[in-house]
Amino acid sequence: MKSLRAQCTTSRPTASNRPRTRVLKPLNMALMVAGWSLALSAGLLDAAQAADIKDVPCRTTAECLAEAARVRGEVSKNDTSRAAELQDIFYWTNRINMASTVMLTERGLLDKASAARIAEGIQHAVTQAAKPGGKRPTDYLQIENIIAEKSGPEATFIHAGRSRQDLLATVRVSRLRTAVMDVADRLLMFRKTLLDIAEQHKDTLVPAYTNGVQAQPISYGHYLLAFSDSFARDSARIRELYARLNLSPMGTAVLANSAWPLDRVRLAQLLGFDGLVVNSLDAGQIITYDVPLEASAIVSSTAVRIGALLEDVHTQYHQSSPWLLLETGSTYTSSAMPQKQNPGVIMTARAKASDVVAASHWMTLRAHNVNTGMTDYKDAWTQARNFLYTVELLEQTARVMKSLRLNPDRALEELRGDWTTSSELADTLQRVSGVPFRVGHAFATAVVNKAREKNWRPDQFPYEEAVPLYAAAAARAGVQPATLPLSAAQFRQSLSHEEMVRTRVGIGGPQPAEVQRQLQAARQTLKQDEAWLAQRQAALAQAEAGLNAAFGKLMAP
């Protein structure tokens, strides 16, 4: 039995993923031209030449492509994880065959001798697939034929009360479960990356923007916490989704059950499900849309916000002196302009975010306006590959964030070059001296207008110029006395970016103590989400071991 369990849980190279090496020998100029044309059409030369120019050129095409992928931040996988790649349709069909054999035997619908012979056939199907030239078909009838090579026609007994409808529904939800768990895992790692960077910069002041215009000062830690909290909501959405996702459709046959008294609860338990999709029509024909679409909506939402985060970073490259830049080695040079350092890793990640959103919309369109029971929507997510794209997006964006280098002095210079504390001037007048806010706002507006006329920064504005501006604003509003109630020191302090951030008192603000509290709360939430994922993974591993053990008992001694 050890060999069967090993085959069900270990890697199996296939013809599609074995590395291949080809040596090309150009015979004449025509062949050389043809080779260049093929390379250009495949994008290979463009990708290789886009990488940084090195003192020592790359020696092979593979090395060139690897270097290009590194500087662009490209990721290329076959599936959301190695486990997901191994757990293909063939794998899950055989797991279901194992579970069906166990359940039928326990229910007395299959005698022990027949069960042993069928179990040998299932083991044969699994073990032959791992051998050179082995077969891994995706159609159930073809898999059944392989089992019958060992078990004979008796192998078809395990299909009692079953159909490709409930089999494929179970295969698809099992694979979707793995994909969603992989997304959940990468999302947790990405959140940790943001929190670690936020911890380093809880006191680093940066500009914050509304409507694309510099608005007020905050800390970089406060900024990253905002995104981290939004991604924590995605983790919560995945937890809520999982309760609807991890339900078994197995044992419902085509759509109306059968005359066989199958134990659906036992099948669900053996395959790691927490419960059943109760209605048999729903199980194979309807939940096959809404749960994948719900999962797709979650990753689409994640991608939209990652796109915004990356766009904030990318916008820095519009400036001649950004305060946030990629470290050396994470950009690639222009072939013509020596001064350019192109942020390929950012652009590639942004494109991947668009891929996730586009693929999720594609899934919706495949399901839209299609009558129940059609195949259009049932496996759309595997074709759209949006969960694979999401895993890659999270990994790429984590790399971007780790590669960013923040210049605190330049960020502070950016802040001091604009009047982002002008609202604090009006607020101080109201809070300290009881001046109506609208009067203070009119005064602050006059100060800003005067400063821009004279090209004064906040720390350069003369106090004596502020006094008559306040008197005019107070007089227009009929407020007495019309004397500026702030001293020169108070006026200067109210325009200080550091002071504005330090003196915030509200829950969730950018003041260092509150940012530290938010960090601790975010880490606690992350810890809870990590524990939830570990529990779900452990439950699935326990179910896998339980099925292996139950199936092993059926084997002839």
Side-chain angles (χ1 to χ4, degrees), residues 491-509:
F491 174 76
R492 190 70 55 213
Q493 187 178 52
S494 70
L495 294 176
S496 164
H497 297 84
E498 297 91 336
E499 188 70 10
M500 181 173 176
V501 171
R502 187 188 67 80
T503 56
R504 303 305 87 188
V505 296
I507 294 174

Side-chain angles (χ1 to χ4, degrees), residues 40-221:
L40 285 168
S41 65
L44 302 181
L45 295 179
D46 177 68
Q49 292 172 356
D52 277 331
I53 297 173
K54 301 298 182 184
D55 293 334
V56 180
C58 51
R59 295 163 296 184
T60 66
T61 299
E63 190 174 293
C64 290
L65 294 175
E67 175 63 11
R70 185 190 68 78
V71 297
R72 287 178 177 270
E74 294 172 351
V75 182
S76 179
K77 291 182 170 64
N78 294 322
D79 218 318
T80 54
S81 66
R82 181 59 175 159
E85 186 177 350
L86 296 173
Q87 294 174 6
D88 57 8
I89 296 174
F90 180 83
Y91 168 90
W92 277 113
T93 300
N94 281 296
R95 296 299 289 180
I96 295 168
N97 284 338
M98 291 166 65
S100 292
T101 307
V102 170
M103 181 274 296
L104 290 171
T105 306
E106 290 176 349
R107 293 281 290 180
L109 300 174
L110 195 63
D111 63 72
K112 291 184 178 180
S114 295
R117 288 190 292 272
I118 292 172
E120 289 177 0
I122 296 171
Q123 180 176 2
H124 164 70
V126 172
T127 55
Q128 65 81 34
K131 298 176 182 178
K135 297 176 288 185
R136 297 183 67 83
T138 58
D139 182 77
Y140 173 73
L141 292 178
Q142 294 175 339
I143 296 172
E144 188 180 81
N145 286 335
I146 298 174
I147 297 172
E149 290 173 359
K150 189 77 171 178
S151 303
E154 202 168 22
T156 62
F157 283 147
I158 58 171
H159 207 53
R162 296 192 329 188
S163 165
R164 269 187 294 208
Q165 295 289 327
D166 62 337
L167 272 167
L168 285 174
T170 307
V171 168
R172 288 162 181 158
V173 73
S174 299
R175 298 184 71 209
L176 178 61
R177 176 175 63 187
T178 301
V180 168
M181 297 286 270
D182 289 338
V183 168
D185 178 68
R186 298 310 191 283
L187 186 59
L188 293 176
M189 290 191 290
F190 180 57
R191 286 167 55 194
K192 184 179 185 302
T193 296
L194 293 183
L195 293 179
D196 289 345
I197 300 172
E199 184 83 50
Q200 299 168 20
H201 292 286
K202 57 180 178 288
D203 298 321
T204 305
L205 298 190
V206 298
Y209 299 81
T210 62
N211 300 310
V213 180
Q214 190 177 154
Q216 289 187 329
I218 58 173
S219 71
Y220 191 49

Side-chain angles (χ1 to χ4, degrees), residues 197-198 200-207 218-221 223-224 316 322-327 401-412:
I197 300 172
Q200 299 168 20
H201 292 286
K202 57 180 178 288
D203 298 321
T204 305
L205 298 190
V206 298
I218 58 173
S219 71
Y220 191 49
Y223 168 83
L224 291 179
Q316 287 287 309
W323 52 264
L324 196 60
L325 277 174
L326 290 168
E327 65 182 353
M401 299 309 296
K402 290 176 182 177
S403 299
L404 289 174
R405 295 296 175 263
L406 193 152
N407 185 334
D409 293 337
R410 176 66 188 91
L412 192 57

Side-chain angles (χ1 to χ4, degrees), residues 477-496:
V479 173
Q480 293 295 331
T483 303
L484 178 60
L486 300 179
S487 67
Q490 288 175 313
F491 174 76
R492 190 70 55 213
Q493 187 178 52
S494 70
L495 294 176
S496 164

